[in-house]
Amino acid sequence: MAAATRGADGLTGILKDAAIYALGAFALCVPVVSFRTDAGATGGLELTPRWVLVAGLCAAIFLARLAQRLVLMRRDARRALRPSRSQATEAVSGTPNAGQRVSMLALWLFIGVALTLPVVAALASGSLGEGRYWIDLGILILTYVMLGWGLNIVVGLAGLLDLGYVAFYAVGAYSYALLSTTFGLSFWICLPLAGLFAALWGMLLGFPVLRLRGDYLAIVTLAFGEIIRLVLINWVDVTGGGAGISSIPRATFFGIPFTAGEDGFAARFGLTFDSMHRVVFLYYLILALALITNVVTLRLRRLPIGRAWEALREDEIACRSLGINTTTTKLTAFALGAAFGGFAGSFFAVRQGFISPESFNFLESAIILAIVVLGGMGSQVGVAIAAVAMVGGPEMLRNLGFLKSIFGQGFDPNEYRLLLFGLAMVAMMVWRPRGLISERTPSVALGERRAISGAHVSEGHG
Amino acid sequence: MDVFVQQLINGLTLGSIYGLIAIGYTMVFGIIGMVNFAHGDVFMVSSFIALIGFLILTAWLGVSSIALAFLIVLVVSMVLTALWGWAIERVAYRPLRGSFRLAPLISAIGVSIFLSNFVQVTQGARNKPLPPMLSGGITLFETDGFQVFLSYKQCLIMAVTAVLLTGFWYLVQRTPFGRAQRACEQDRKMAALLGIDVDRTISLTFVLGAALAAVAGVLYLMYYGVVSFSDGFVPGVKAFTAAVLGGIGSLPGAVLGGLIIGLIETFWSAYFSIEYKDVAAFSILAVVLIFMPSGILGRAEVEKV
Amino acid sequence: MTEPTTRADAVLTVDHLTMRFGGLTAVGDLSFQAHRGDITALIGPNGAGKTTVFNCITGFYKPTEGMLTLAHADGSKHLLERLPNHAVNRISRVARTFQNIRLFQGMTVLENLLVAQHAPLMRASGMTVLGLLGLPVYRRAEAAAIERAKEWLVRIGLIERADDPAGDLPYGAQRRLEIARAMCTEPVLLCLDEPAAGLNPRESGELNALLRHIRDAHDTSVLLIEHDMSVVMEISDHVVVLDYGVKIADGTPGEVRADPRVIAAYLGVEDEEVEAVEAEVGLTVTHLEVEA
């Protein structure tokens, strides 16, 4: 209906439509926005009316809808002149896909930027210490890139919907924290162990649930994620409960601590001590871990196991008819994804020096999954771009201090981080349901590798 | 025995609330096959609407009759929450219909994050207490100094749940909307070919689900007397567990599942450990899905080759 | 055509197979044999239980009762009803296609054929470890697998489209690719569920040639479900007819064609109409009068 009338009903129609949206927004704002409840002097709640805010919101919705409709109208007018390009077969066969080259280029660009970021940050800000904000942000983004790439094996390649991925992140983090604080094991011993434990947990949890399909699998993995978090909170003797574990040993340069003393990293290598050495080291550590994840994934895709994962995503029944043991195939994907989550978790613990169950709540799982789906399932580059957008984007809110001059001093843009994050998730799904890069690159080709349109690629059922 | 009866009453009360939320999950899953992740947060929003409604009525308008205040708040909350349900479906789910299977789920998670943070931003992060409205109750019997107590609140919750569920049952079983709804569950394309407005039916399903969640929200607020922006997630997951346990897609199953989950939770807290009550609920969810994926009243699914 | 062979020569022996779904008996006490080197056709009206038989043979359903024995040329025997789903293919070497084509649509034609060679490639990749290290052992195995895939692509006339997504192929090509994919698992028995459905006469002819090639050039026996009588009568050595889950005829195409019960059941007609019907299927009037 909308498509047919959109061009015809003209400006008045659009204004009317926007007005209806504003009216709807008004009704939704009553009473959650229009009255703020605050604890009063007597302890009971008191109401503060905020009709100006409601009016502002409605006006914003009105203008946003108006702008959207106007843009859509112009796009439709342009489309009407040209033949439709939305046929599924159009983008599929034929000439080598330019987008594929761009995405390969993007991957190298990403790696290039990632490699040089600390240097650039230091040069641009004057010194390493000044550039710390950017390096820390880089570490945060790369952690999510790694988590995204790890989960991509499970969700993107094997098509298994995992909403509890953060559980393996937690297993990795607690493995390192507990092993290092109780047994004094070094990070480099704990790192593989953490991955191993996470993989074991992956298999343990995966085994009973992997015959479930679709949303059911998602919900069970969510339940497992929550169970692990709740156990971490309640098993106080071992995990320290809600207070978490603190004073986790810091990372060392392969055994050489980053201290100012004689044995410290700076003294050994003849540098002047700078606390930033450790941060830069952590940065390159997570970069290396992420790149290892990427290389392993890209290699696996070209191996029979990787092809079996993708085949599983496409059609599980056909897989079984071809003699593929779908249970073990799913389990390997689950365990491997979990292992990478575990590596990332132990990195998280060594970087923070403190962990608590609150770092591993459902929101984290949702963010990682959103990164994978938004990136385009199975696309490594897409995941990297999505991680930058989803993690780096909200971070930019901190820099919007100038808004205070508009909305008053009490306004803290950072409060709106998750609100906007949720909105962005919806908007991006509506805009690109298949993610940024929905094409699939074949794992093997006789001639030139050509991308396969997302229209053909299945999203899996499990 | 007396502790048992007391826990039974508490469990059934809690179970009624879960059952009301679970219906929203089960209906939406039945008709479009998606887990409406944001449903728990819709429930939370409705609690806030009810909270503010009560405050306006009692503090500003000076309504002294609790029955009147309750009725007004219930209706207003149902209407406004239904509007939320409609708007969410319209904005976040409808554009994704028939597209990539994961997209609606991610979108729903986005809505869930948005709603809880929307309420946090507009209402603040603190717990919001409501002055107790309906105190007192009936002492059913007393043994060894332990009173088995049925509060008026609990009576109200069970009564309201029973009345509304009867009305709802009538709506789904006996009206053209119910018929259209069930037809869409069976085969959306065919229903559309037979002249059913599928979009409208799905919208109405969301509206109904949200309205029932609003009832749950009002009752939850009355029962516990406090609500916070983060109160949507856990009851939401428990209600979903209830829907799955009862057999997703089955309306009586959702109510039955809700009661069972409510009972398990209260008994677990009473006899085992209160810390692990959520672990118990999540474990049940996992166990049921693994060993009995079609639930108690659901239809078994045969794998089509 | 071929003479009825002895039991020892059977590749597949179905003994008293019964499959019930709740109260419905989809297949009731069915027994038949498929002989090595034959193309055996399983025919019957819609809903006769043919696909159910297939699903039992290929491990998708566990039969309620009965025994399914697959004999390899070396004499080893496999009880199919006891094997897990995927092992029916991997161990007892039964491959199948599906009525509604199940290709990996988002993967290329070549990839589809490589997935089918999963087991040998997995071994060559040392359960992924050696492959991950990029050892030549795996690279050689992959090259060999690609060679085998190419042979099949040439055979089914799709070598030009090797790098296209399978979902992009025309319908007939998808059917051929599915058969080639099943053949890449080197089956002893190939089960085809309506391979000619939806094919035009030319494609149907190509399919017949492909099936004959499979029978003659590979050590693969074929069991097929088919509605297209021209295919059944032309290429099958042995025909089993099902109706309402029960076997009503078993023999060479000539014998089965002559069986009035088959005609009546298959076309669902009264006895008086059989005359009209037999003309359609190419029977002589005299033949039927003898029976009557």
Side-chain angles (χ1 to χ4, degrees):
Chain A
M1 175 212 90
T5 53
R6 196 173 277 156
D9 57 8
L11 201 61
T12 37
I14 289 177
L15 279 172
K16 210 172 119 190
D17 175 73
I20 290 172
Y21 266 68
L23 201 68
F26 175 77
L28 293 181
C29 287
V30 177
V32 183
V33 181
S34 60
F35 299 97
R36 186 180 167 104
T37 51
D38 285 301
T42 53
L45 289 178
E46 283 177 4
L47 293 173
T48 324
R50 291 186 297 189
W51 293 107
V52 179
L53 183 63
V54 174
L57 266 177
C58 293
I61 297 271
F62 178 80
L63 290 176
R65 178 65 180 168
L66 196 65
Q68 189 201 4
R69 285 296 300 267
L70 287 174
V71 169
L72 282 178
M73 190 169 79
R74 287 188 56 185
R75 197 186 67 186
D76 286 352
R78 262 185 289 124
R79 281 210 180 147
L81 299 174
R82 275 188 283 133
S84 163
R85 294 194 344 114
S86 58
Q87 277 171 357
T89 45
E90 186 268 336
V92 175
S93 50
T95 49
N97 192 316
Q100 209 56 36
R101 299 230 177 95
V102 172
S103 76
M104 270 318 286
L105 202 70
L107 186 60
W108 286 112
L109 190 72
F110 173 78
I111 293 172
V113 169
L115 279 173
T116 52
L117 180 91
V119 181
V120 172
L123 290 178
S125 340
S127 77
L128 266 178
E130 304 278 319
R132 171 156 192 170
Y133 170 75
W134 293 103
I135 301 175
D136 276 339
L137 182 58
I139 292 177
L140 186 69
I141 290 176
L142 282 174
T143 312
Y144 280 95
V145 169
M146 176 167 181
L147 287 168
W149 278 342
L151 185 61
N152 201 14
I153 296 175
V154 184
V155 180
L157 292 183
L160 303 165
L161 190 45
D162 183 356
L163 274 184
Y165 189 62
V166 81
F168 307 122
Y169 189 42
V171 168
Y174 273 86
S175 299
Y176 171 63
L178 291 173
L179 287 173
S180 64
T181 51
T182 42
F183 301 108
L185 296 181
S186 85
F187 176 72
W188 295 103
I189 296 171
C190 292
L191 182 70
L193 283 178
L196 198 69
F197 284 144
L200 280 177
W201 273 97
M203 285 204 240
L204 210 67
L205 300 188
F207 193 72
V209 305
L210 284 175
R211 61 200 180 90
L212 296 173
R213 306 172 135 245
D215 291 354
Y216 277 14
L217 180 69
I219 298 296
V220 173
T221 49
L222 179 144
F224 277 140
E226 284 298 300
I227 288 172
I228 287 190
R229 188 175 68 87
L230 290 167
V231 169
L232 289 177
I233 291 176
N234 289 309
W235 198 10
V236 181
D237 297 344
V238 174
T239 63
I245 300 173
S246 52
S247 60
I248 301 167
R250 296 290 187 155
T252 57
F253 187 80
F254 304 99
I256 307 169
F258 289 96
T259 50
E262 286 283 299
D263 298 334
F265 173 79
R268 290 271 191 101
F269 287 85
L271 300 165
T272 45
F273 174 75
D274 187 337
S275 61
M276 282 304 293
H277 288 157
R278 192 175 56 82
V279 179
V280 173
F281 173 70
L282 284 174
Y283 177 85
Y284 281 110
L285 178 62
I286 185 65
L287 180 61
L289 285 172
L291 288 180
I292 289 171
T293 313
N294 184 34
V295 169
V296 169
T297 311
L298 288 179
R299 285 221 140 176
L300 284 173
R301 271 203 67 206
R302 280 157 211 197
L303 288 173
I305 187 72
R307 276 192 214 113
W309 288 337
E310 291 200 80
L312 200 63
R313 180 191 66 202
E314 296 284 323
D315 195 326
E316 185 179 339
I317 287 174
C319 275
R320 279 191 259 147
S321 84
L322 295 173
I324 295 173
N325 185 339
T326 48
T327 313
T328 51
T329 307
K330 284 179 181 178
L331 265 184
T332 49
F334 217 64
L336 205 69
F340 286 123
F343 291 143
S346 67
F347 172 82
F348 177 78
V350 81
R351 182 207 168 198
Q352 298 282 326
F354 162 76
I355 52 169
S356 78
E358 282 322 296
S359 306
F360 309 105
N361 55 20
F362 168 68
L363 186 67
E364 292 296 312
S365 285
I367 291 174
I368 304 166
L369 183 68
I371 285 172
V372 174
V373 175
L374 176 70
M377 304 218 321
S379 163
Q380 298 290 94
V381 187
V383 168
I385 298 171
V388 173
M390 299 286 269
V391 183
E395 201 57 32
M396 291 302 108
L397 283 175
R398 288 189 207 281
N399 305 334
L400 298 179
F402 67 90
L403 286 175
K404 280 194 175 134
S405 58
I406 304 172
F407 294 104
Q409 273 308 311
F411 183 81
D412 177 11
N414 205 40
E415 255 183 37
Y416 297 83
R417 199 171 70 92
L418 285 173
L419 181 85
L420 293 174
F421 185 81
L423 272 185
M425 267 169 95
V426 176
M428 288 196 276
M429 281 301 108
V430 172
W431 172 53
R432 292 204 79 133
R434 282 176 173 273
L436 293 170
I437 298 177
S438 59
E439 283 102 7
R440 175 181 173 271
T441 319
S443 64
V444 59
L446 293 183
E448 194 168 4
R449 270 176 228 268
R450 281 167 296 177
I452 295 172
S453 153
H456 281 303
V457 181
S458 160
E459 75 272 35
H461 305 277
Chain B
M1 179 60 200
D2 32 12
V3 181
F4 180 84
V5 174
Q6 184 66 62
Q7 295 307 333
L8 193 69
I9 294 170
N10 296 349
L12 288 176
T13 315
L14 189 61
S16 307
I17 293 175
Y18 289 153
L20 285 168
I21 311 175
I23 288 178
Y25 279 108
T26 222
M27 278 203 306
V28 167
F29 193 93
I31 198 162
I32 52 175
M34 81 174 263
V35 178
N36 179 13
F37 216 92
H39 194 59
D41 293 281
V42 170
F43 155 79
M44 179 273 299
V45 168
S46 78
S47 270
F48 268 88
I49 293 174
L51 172 80
I52 294 166
F54 273 125
L55 288 175
I56 292 176
L57 285 175
T58 52
W60 285 14
L61 301 178
V63 175
S64 54
S65 156
I66 286 176
L68 183 66
F70 176 78
L71 264 182
I72 294 174
V73 163
L74 188 67
V75 171
V76 168
S77 183
M78 280 173 79
V79 169
L80 288 178
T81 312
L83 191 67
W84 272 103
W86 179 83
I88 289 167
E89 194 272 334
R90 185 70 193 79
V91 173
Y93 304 152
R94 192 182 294 181
L96 295 171
R97 199 163 301 150
S99 100
F100 204 48
R101 185 178 58 91
L102 277 184
L105 185 74
I106 300 290
S107 189
I109 293 173
V111 173
S112 164
I113 294 174
F114 167 77
L115 281 181
S116 57
N117 285 281
F118 177 72
V119 173
Q120 185 189 3
V121 165
T122 54
Q123 296 293 336
R126 290 165 187 276
N127 280 349
K128 304 286 175 180
L130 184 73
M133 313 206 63
L134 188 63
S135 45
I138 317 153
T139 306
L140 291 180
F141 55 87
E142 193 173 338
T143 42
D144 305 334
F146 186 90
Q147 292 184 342
V148 175
F149 190 70
L150 176 65
S151 71
Y152 293 134
K153 271 190 227 166
Q154 290 174 324
C155 293
L156 181 74
I157 287 171
M158 288 190 240
V160 169
T161 307
V163 169
L164 280 168
L165 283 184
T166 315
F168 173 74
W169 181 248
Y170 178 81
L171 186 68
V172 173
Q173 290 296 320
R174 296 271 181 272
T175 61
F177 160 72
R179 209 156 34 237
Q181 211 249 351
R182 279 176 288 137
C184 288
E185 271 184 29
Q186 296 285 323
D187 187 337
R188 235 185 301 155
K189 248 184 214 146
M190 195 62 219
L193 288 174
L194 293 174
I196 292 171
D197 187 340
V198 173
D199 277 343
R200 201 173 137 258
T201 310
I202 292 174
S203 278
L204 272 173
T205 305
F206 273 85
V207 162
L208 269 183
L212 287 178
V215 178
V218 175
L219 297 177
Y220 181 87
L221 179 71
M222 287 208 55
Y223 193 48
Y224 290 105
V226 63
V227 64
S228 105
F229 76 97
S230 59
D231 275 357
F233 181 66
V234 171
V237 174
K238 285 181 187 161
F240 179 76
T241 309
V244 170
L245 181 64
I248 197 145
S250 153
L251 297 178
V255 180
L256 181 68
L259 293 177
I260 293 175
I261 291 290
L263 287 172
I264 289 174
E265 191 181 322
T266 38
F267 279 103
W268 187 281
S269 308
Y271 292 103
F272 298 104
S273 83
I274 196 153
E275 282 86 24
Y276 282 95
K277 75 179 163 104
D278 289 349
V279 175
F282 287 119
S283 307
I284 290 162
L285 174 64
V287 168
V288 168
L289 276 177
I290 292 164
F291 295 104
M292 209 171 49
S294 51
I296 299 171
L297 299 179
R299 281 181 300 258
E301 206 175 300
V302 180
E303 185 178 57
K304 285 265 194 300
V305 178
Chain C
M1 298 230 180
T2 39
E3 287 296 309
T5 34
T6 57
R7 199 182 165 88
D9 201 25
V11 61
L12 174 74
T13 309
V14 174
D15 266 327
H16 302 290
L17 174 70
T18 299
M19 182 75 206
R20 291 193 200 95
F21 296 102
L24 179 81
T25 305
V27 179
D29 199 28
L30 174 71
S31 300
F32 72 91
Q33 288 188 339
H35 305 293
R36 195 176 306 285
D38 271 6
I39 294 179
T40 306
L42 194 59
I43 66 170
N46 281 331
K50 305 176 301 273
T51 299
T52 306
V53 174
F54 257 44
N55 286 340
C56 289
I57 294 172
T58 52
F60 283 91
Y61 293 163
K62 291 282 160 249
T64 320
E65 283 163 35
M67 199 162 82
L68 301 157
T69 318
L70 189 98
H72 284 189
D74 63 8
S76 61
K77 290 220 161 52
H78 300 264
L79 293 178
L80 300 181
E81 77 278 6
R82 296 198 186 157
L83 289 173
N85 200 174
H86 70 275
V88 171
N89 178 277
R90 188 181 285 188
I91 296 167
S92 57
R93 317 214 73 83
V94 177
R96 74 170 290 178
T97 65
F98 297 87
Q99 201 169 342
N100 43 347
I101 307 173
R102 284 185 176 274
L103 287 171
F104 306 120
Q105 306 237 334
M107 302 175 84
T108 65
V109 169
L110 179 65
E111 282 179 308
N112 267 273
L113 298 186
L114 289 185
V115 171
Q117 303 178 53
H118 180 73
L121 282 176
M122 250 338 235
R123 269 195 301 281
S125 74
M127 292 304 154
T128 306
V129 179
L130 302 181
L132 209 51
L133 300 174
L135 293 191
V137 144
Y138 172 68
R139 270 183 274 141
R140 275 198 301 275
E142 192 183 35
I146 292 176
E147 273 315 305
R148 181 199 298 279
K150 276 161 84 176
E151 278 166 32
W152 276 107
L153 288 177
V154 172
R155 167 74 48 195
I156 62 174
L158 287 177
I159 188 75
E160 294 298 318
R161 306 208 61 178
D163 297 337
D164 287 343
D168 217 18
L169 296 178
Y171 192 77
Q174 293 200 14
R175 285 248 176 246
R176 292 202 302 277
L177 177 60
E178 206 190 12
I179 295 172
R181 188 181 68 177
M183 284 305 293
C184 277
T185 65
E186 301 194 298
V188 168
L189 178 69
L190 175 66
C191 301
L192 305 172
D193 198 345
E194 301 200 20
L199 300 190
N200 63 35
R202 188 177 56 79
E203 288 172 327
S204 199
E206 287 170 3
L207 175 75
N208 289 354
L210 177 63
L211 295 186
R212 283 209 193 88
H213 164 79
I214 288 171
R215 178 188 60 186
D216 299 337
H218 296 264
D219 295 326
T220 303
S221 317
V222 178
L223 179 66
L224 67 102
I225 293 175
E226 192 46 73
H227 274 301
D228 186 336
M229 280 302 132
S230 68
V231 173
V232 173
M233 295 304 159
E234 201 182 323
I235 64 166
S236 48
D237 305 303
H238 175 194
V239 179
V240 177
V241 189
L242 283 187
D243 192 18
Y244 293 109
V246 178
K247 183 168 86 174
I248 56 170
D250 187 348
T252 65
E255 289 163 10
V256 165
R257 178 154 51 176
D259 192 329
R261 277 186 307 165
V262 174
I263 300 166
Y266 204 79
L267 299 168
V269 291
E270 301 295 321
D271 284 347
E272 304 88 79
E273 294 171 49
V274 167
E275 204 170 311
V277 170
E278 46 87 3
E280 245 176 83
V281 294
L283 264 177
T284 55
V285 178
T286 48
H287 198 126
L288 193 83
E289 279 167 351
V290 173
E291 292 282 334

